[in-house]
Amino acid sequence: MIKPLLLPALESAQQTRQEPPHELLLQDQNTIQVCYGNVTALIGYHMSDSNWFTKAANVYQEVADTLSKDSDPIAWANVQFHLCRIRQILGERSNDPEILENTINILKEILEVYTISEFPREWGYIQSRIGNVLYRLDSVKGETDLLKESVVAYQSALRIFSKFENPLKWSELKHNLGQVLQVWGDLSRNPKILERAVLTCQEALQIRSRLETPMLWAA
């Protein structure tokens, strides 16, 4: 339903993005740019086209260049998070360790703004994404320590997302954690870690049912 609406939406927003009303504050102009980047990224997702992701990254970067962590930390962190999402996709598609490492470093820096005490959900989502990128970076570099860091990140996210309040996110984290433990257990030939992987996946199945979420259950 969304896919056919995206290109017309982007076209209608093009002029506003290029020539925003002069009376708008810089903050409002940045908001327009970020929304434009969001639509561009969504087109890339639906078309599976890296060129659109690159365009989205350029839009976000334009906004990031107008912000500083010291003067407007929340706006800075928000734009950097959008930028990290796109860099993660581009890094995964190109298997570029430098892009993935940079993404992890920026995400960790964002955590200095989105602290667990003031922004627990944002903190949890960022920890989850750090876990994802570390797992992918290990597949490129083959460094077991990255898997250990990924486990820590997922476990951190699980401090925020509980089985009862956030069942789908909780089961997603359990599934991802199980994947990392499986790879770590295989590489280290450690049956205890593999047993943890099995138990973690079985926990995810407490939420992911064959009837209600068959694809997630199969995963």
Side-chain angles (χ1 to χ4, degrees):
M1 292 173 63
I2 292 174
K3 187 175 179 180
L5 303 175
L6 290 173
L7 285 174
L10 193 73
E11 184 177 347
S12 66
Q14 181 77 37
Q15 184 175 355
T16 306
R17 179 202 169 224
Q18 292 176 340
E19 300 177 5
H22 297 296
E23 62 271 17
L24 285 182
L25 299 173
L26 178 60
Q27 181 180 3
D28 297 323
Q29 294 181 28
N30 284 343
T31 299
I32 292 173
Q33 291 276 54
V34 170
C35 290
Y36 187 87
N38 292 346
V39 176
T40 306
L42 200 56
I43 291 172
Y45 173 77
H46 281 290
M47 293 188 173
S48 193
D49 186 341
S50 294
N51 292 324
W52 285 101
F53 290 123
T54 301
K55 291 178 182 178
N58 291 336
V59 173
Y60 292 138
Q61 189 62 59
E62 288 178 20
V63 179
D65 290 341
T66 70
L67 300 168
S68 75
K69 183 180 176 183
D70 295 329
S71 61
D72 195 344
I74 299 299
W76 174 87
N78 182 47
V79 173
Q80 289 295 338
F81 182 72
H82 284 299
L83 195 51
C84 283
R85 287 190 304 113
I86 301 304
R87 284 175 176 163
Q88 178 184 351
I89 294 170
L90 293 173
E92 289 178 351
R93 291 188 171 212
S94 61
N95 285 326
D96 189 323
E98 185 176 350
I99 294 177
L100 294 172
E101 287 172 349
N102 178 261
T103 301
I104 293 168
N105 291 334
I106 297 296
L107 286 169
K108 289 181 178 179
E109 192 174 355
I110 294 172
L111 288 176
E112 297 173 10
V113 178
Y114 286 136
T115 61
I116 188 173
S117 59
E118 295 187 29
F119 301 94
R121 289 184 67 84
E122 288 81 359
W123 185 87
Y125 277 118
I126 294 167
Q127 290 286 2
S128 173
R129 191 164 291 274
I130 290 174
N132 294 344
V133 184
L134 284 166
Y135 174 62
R136 187 53 185 259
L137 183 59
D138 167 74
S139 70
V140 176
K141 300 185 70 173
E143 297 179 4
T144 307
D145 284 345
L146 294 170
L147 294 174
K148 296 177 183 178
E149 290 184 50
S150 179
V151 168
V152 171
Y154 285 134
Q155 288 175 331
S156 296
L158 284 166
R159 293 170 57 190
I160 304 301
F161 300 105
S162 71
K163 176 182 176 181
F164 299 104
E165 293 183 358
N166 312 99
L168 289 178
K169 185 62 180 177
W170 178 85
S171 65
E172 175 193 316
L173 289 167
K174 287 289 184 178
H175 169 259
N176 292 344
L177 179 57
Q179 279 188 313
V180 177
L181 290 170
Q182 177 190 347
V183 175
W184 181 10
D186 282 339
L187 291 174
S188 62
R189 298 184 179 276
N190 189 322
K192 290 186 178 180
I193 296 176
L194 291 171
E195 287 171 3
R196 281 181 61 194
V198 173
L199 291 173
T200 303
C201 290
Q202 287 174 337
E203 286 180 312
L205 288 173
Q206 295 171 12
I207 301 299
R208 295 182 169 193
S209 71
R210 183 174 185 175
L211 181 62
E212 294 182 1
T213 53
M215 295 299 292
L216 297 179
W217 175 86

